[in-house]
Amino acid sequence: MKLFPRTVLFLLILPAFLLTGFSSAEKPIRATWLWQTYQTASQPEQILAFAAEQKVNLLYLKIDTSLRPAYYQSFIKKARAAGIEVHALSGKSSWGLSQNRAEMLDFANWVIRYNQTVDTDAAITGIHFDIEPYTLPEWKTDQAAVIRQWMDNVDAYVNLIQEQQPSLHIGCDIPFWLDKYPLPDDSAVSVTERLISRHGHVTVMAYRDRAEGPNSISALVPEELDFAERLGKQVVIAVETKASNEGDFVTFYEEGRARMEEELSKLHQLFSKRTSFAGVAIHSYEYWTLLKE
């Protein structure tokens, strides 16, 4: 594939920009998801002002691939100028099945092509997958088959990205309880461990409203941190701000921002010496902004 001159420049320069927060204990990650793509055009200044106020330095931005790349360039350029890395976010539960692999790879290819056509200050520095096949009916009827297809699909996008744009950081979301499921063909390895091994970082959805104690955030993630430490990978620990019908204990919706910050501060103190602990993520921008003071 013939590259334009600025594409070559991008490939040479991008590693210097690549998610410095993951390699620096002095600047832990503070991330959030932005699912409403249109908000980047309708209220970019509002988003970035909130991010600055809340010290966000990583944004998982939902990418609608039906939009032209130019739609995202201005916002990403402003975010990068403000010290906020942008990772392209997408995913469907059905992307865990082999029959939908082409659609999943189309997303990865869109991100790769985007970076090949924009200036470095508007580049996307990471790609983030939210694939949850455990919500599919097939998970209940043939779990082993779903896991096999899911892991094959993960290999497919990781191999594609590493071949086409190796400087692009690869991450994914996983629930804290996934470590209880072994690989069908290797019971000594859990699905969680396999996913950690294939990504630069994983964001563990450890949705609880306190840092310490039984059934707390810290009680849910030791296996993930251990796996990542052994593999030389990174873990971001995520909390929820949206109201939940699973119980008040899974979200900070009732407690509000001040209490959430107290608990996140405790979490940093608890895991400050863990080399695999990269920081925290708050789900999501849309609900975080509505959280009571």
Side-chain angles (χ1 to χ4, degrees):
M1 179 174 58
K2 185 177 180 180
L3 301 180
F4 293 104
R6 65 177 173 181
T7 304
V8 176
L9 182 63
F10 164 80
L11 292 173
L12 291 173
I13 293 177
L14 182 57
F17 288 92
L18 185 62
L19 198 59
T20 55
F22 276 103
S23 60
S24 173
E26 297 177 0
K27 188 183 179 184
I29 288 298
R30 189 168 166 90
T32 193
W33 292 257
L34 178 58
W35 291 101
Q36 304 300 326
T37 306
Y38 72 90
Q39 291 184 331
T40 60
S42 64
Q43 44 186 278
E45 304 303 333
Q46 182 178 333
I47 294 169
L48 295 176
F50 179 83
E53 177 188 355
Q54 302 299 326
K55 297 180 173 55
V56 169
N57 54 20
L58 174 59
L59 182 65
Y60 303 139
L61 173 62
K62 176 67 169 68
I63 295 296
D64 180 348
T65 58
S66 69
L67 299 173
R68 294 170 59 87
Y71 184 90
Y72 300 98
Q73 289 182 47
S74 175
F75 177 80
I76 294 175
K77 186 178 294 186
K78 290 177 182 177
R80 293 283 299 274
I84 302 170
E85 296 285 342
V86 177
H87 287 193
L89 164 68
S90 194
K92 298 178 181 178
S93 297
S94 60
W95 284 7
L97 302 179
S98 56
Q99 67 198 51
N100 299 303
R101 184 177 301 171
E103 180 185 355
M104 178 193 69
L105 293 180
D106 283 346
F107 164 65
N109 276 313
W110 187 99
V111 177
I112 291 167
R113 288 194 301 270
Y114 170 90
N115 277 344
Q116 291 172 343
T117 59
V118 301
D119 294 328
T120 57
D121 59 354
I124 292 169
T125 55
I127 188 165
H128 196 81
F129 291 87
D130 182 44
I131 303 174
E132 304 183 23
Y134 40 83
T135 65
L136 296 172
E138 291 90 337
W139 183 265
K140 295 180 179 179
T141 58
D142 195 347
Q143 188 179 101
V146 172
I147 292 175
R148 288 190 185 95
Q149 292 175 73
W150 184 12
M151 297 303 102
D152 286 347
N153 280 6
V154 168
D155 285 341
Y157 71 64
V158 169
N159 292 341
L160 171 69
I161 294 165
Q162 289 181 340
E163 178 183 342
Q164 297 295 324
Q165 203 163 94
S167 56
L168 196 64
H169 189 94
I170 310 172
C172 74
D173 297 326
I174 60 173
F176 68 85
W177 45 259
L178 197 60
D179 54 16
K180 294 178 175 59
Y181 293 90
L183 295 178
D185 304 315
D186 187 354
S187 60
V189 179
S190 71
V191 174
T192 292
E193 188 173 4
R194 180 74 162 74
L195 289 172
I196 289 174
S197 74
R198 295 299 280 149
H199 295 82
H201 85 281
V202 297
T203 302
V204 181
M205 297 178 285
Y207 292 169
R208 293 294 184 268
D209 62 1
R210 55 185 178 137
E212 299 177 275
N215 198 31
S216 66
I217 301 168
S218 63
L220 302 181
V221 296
E223 290 84 1
E224 288 77 7
L225 290 169
D226 288 344
F227 291 150
E229 220 153 84
R230 188 171 70 251
L231 295 166
K233 302 291 186 172
Q234 298 289 294
V235 170
V236 173
I237 299 174
V239 296
E240 179 67 281
T241 60
K242 180 183 178 181
S244 174
N245 57 12
E246 296 179 24
D248 295 348
F249 63 93
V250 304
T251 175
F252 283 99
Y253 175 78
E254 295 81 13
E255 289 81 1
R257 292 188 196 178
R259 171 68 183 281
M260 181 178 76
E261 294 301 339
E262 289 178 10
E263 299 303 314
L264 292 179
S265 179
K266 292 178 186 176
L267 202 62
H268 278 282
Q269 293 172 11
L270 287 168
F271 296 134
S272 62
K273 295 182 180 179
R274 297 296 300 263
T275 58
S276 57
F277 174 61
V280 299
I282 294 89
H283 186 271
S284 61
Y285 168 80
E286 293 84 353
Y287 295 100
W288 188 5
T289 56
L290 302 176
L291 206 60
K292 63 186 179 183
E293 294 290 348

